Amino acid sequence: MENQEECVEKVYPMPRIGDVAPDFEAVTTKGKMKMSEFAKDKWVVMFSHPADFTPVCTTEMSGFAVRKPEFDALNTELLGLSIDSIHSHLGWVQNVRENTGVYFDFPIIADIDMNVSKLYGMLQPNESETAAVRAVFFIDPEKKIRLIMYYPLNVGRNMDEILRSLDALQTSDKHKVAMPLDWQRGDKVIVPAPSTLEALDERLVDDSVEKTTWYLAKKSI
Ligand code: BEZ
């Protein structure tokens, strides 16, 4: 018979969209931080990578570094994480800087005790028991989780999609609209569908929006 302990499935909590970002304290490449006090009045894009000194992770982290000015323009702080020591992080940052000239100029959490990885559902034991999956958490200035991405160890993320998602969330908030399939900045946006018969009648005669039908209408912003 199998050892009782081996049969117990490891289940860690998964944060959900709409939750307040779980609070934690951590050591990063830029010093100590506490999530609830990090990047006040800004958005945070927090992302995990499986391991330092690995090829896919190096391309991804370089992508975040190279495109950091675009995150800055969207009032957003970057925050990396992996289950590696601070010395490993420093060695990797320096190694990539020496080899490619790209500098990871944002904090990277050394989650050596896996505390944050477990708190944020980044440790998915059927994928890896020791390395975080490739997660991305979009956290708004009120510290609410607004969008979550999880990628496996063997597939790198898409930086255009990460930036597009962030822009879409912020544009949706600002204009109280929704974003259609493949929305890109400059495209028309979806106005909320009417929720009363009176509003439906108003929509039918509203020529200021581009209507496909009464519940699907777009406008430029
Ligand atoms: C990589 O970044 O290349 C990698 C890391 C962990 C597992 C598989 C690939």
Side-chain angles (χ1 to χ4, degrees):
M1 199 179 129
E2 273 184 84
N3 177 321
Q4 190 70 16
E5 226 173 339
E6 281 171 8
C7 297
V8 177
E9 194 188 349
K10 291 193 185 104
V11 180
Y12 303 116
M14 300 287 281
R16 292 165 300 189
I17 291 172
D19 291 356
V20 173
D23 202 15
F24 61 84
E25 292 184 21
V27 175
T28 84
T29 49
K30 291 198 174 240
K32 289 185 183 166
M33 64 154 296
K34 185 173 164 71
M35 178 46 112
S36 55
E37 290 165 10
F38 181 71
K40 283 240 181 294
D41 302 323
K42 290 184 160 196
W43 285 71
V44 176
V45 168
M46 179 166 80
F47 47 95
S48 53
H49 67 273
D52 297 346
F53 295 98
T54 54
V56 178
C57 299
T58 302
T59 63
E60 289 190 312
M61 294 294 273
S62 300
F64 279 111
V66 167
R67 300 190 68 175
K68 185 172 177 293
E70 293 171 69
F71 288 98
D72 292 340
L74 293 170
N75 189 36
T76 300
E77 290 289 330
L78 296 175
L79 178 60
L81 174 150
S82 76
I83 302 169
D84 287 294
S85 70
I86 204 72
H87 298 290
S88 169
H89 283 343
L90 297 182
W92 187 38
V93 172
Q94 176 58 10
N95 179 263
V96 175
R97 179 161 64 173
E98 275 169 9
N99 283 303
T100 71
V102 175
Y103 183 51
F104 302 165
D105 192 12
F106 46 80
I108 307 169
I109 295 170
D111 193 33
I112 202 74
D113 62 4
M114 306 187 188
N115 176 40
V116 184
S117 302
K118 289 177 183 170
L119 206 53
Y120 279 76
M122 295 164 170
L123 197 62
Q124 303 196 4
N126 292 331
E127 177 73 348
S128 170
E129 296 212 11
T130 52
V133 297
R134 301 179 194 279
V136 190
F137 284 84
F138 297 73
I139 300 168
D140 73 15
E142 277 71 52
K143 290 285 180 280
K144 190 187 278 189
I145 296 171
R146 300 292 301 279
L147 195 155
I148 303 171
M149 299 173 175
Y150 288 117
Y151 277 55
L153 301 192
N154 57 344
V155 177
R157 290 156 284 196
N158 182 301
M159 202 55 62
D160 288 333
E161 175 57 6
I162 292 170
L163 279 156
R164 187 198 76 93
S165 301
L166 180 62
D167 199 8
L169 285 167
Q170 294 185 359
T171 305
S172 172
D173 283 3
K174 185 172 174 193
H175 296 278
K176 307 278 178 273
V177 293
M179 320 325 263
L181 173 75
D182 293 337
W183 178 84
Q184 298 280 354
R185 180 175 280 240
D187 289 353
K188 291 189 168 127
V189 298
I190 292 178
V191 292
S195 55
T196 63
L197 287 170
E198 191 186 358
L200 188 159
D201 285 343
E202 280 170 20
R203 174 62 55 82
L204 292 176
V205 295
D206 183 356
D207 292 329
S208 72
V209 295
E210 179 190 292
K211 283 186 291 267
T212 303
T213 183
W214 61 270
Y215 61 84
L216 172 49
K218 292 184 187 173
K219 70 173 184 181
S220 298
I221 50 172

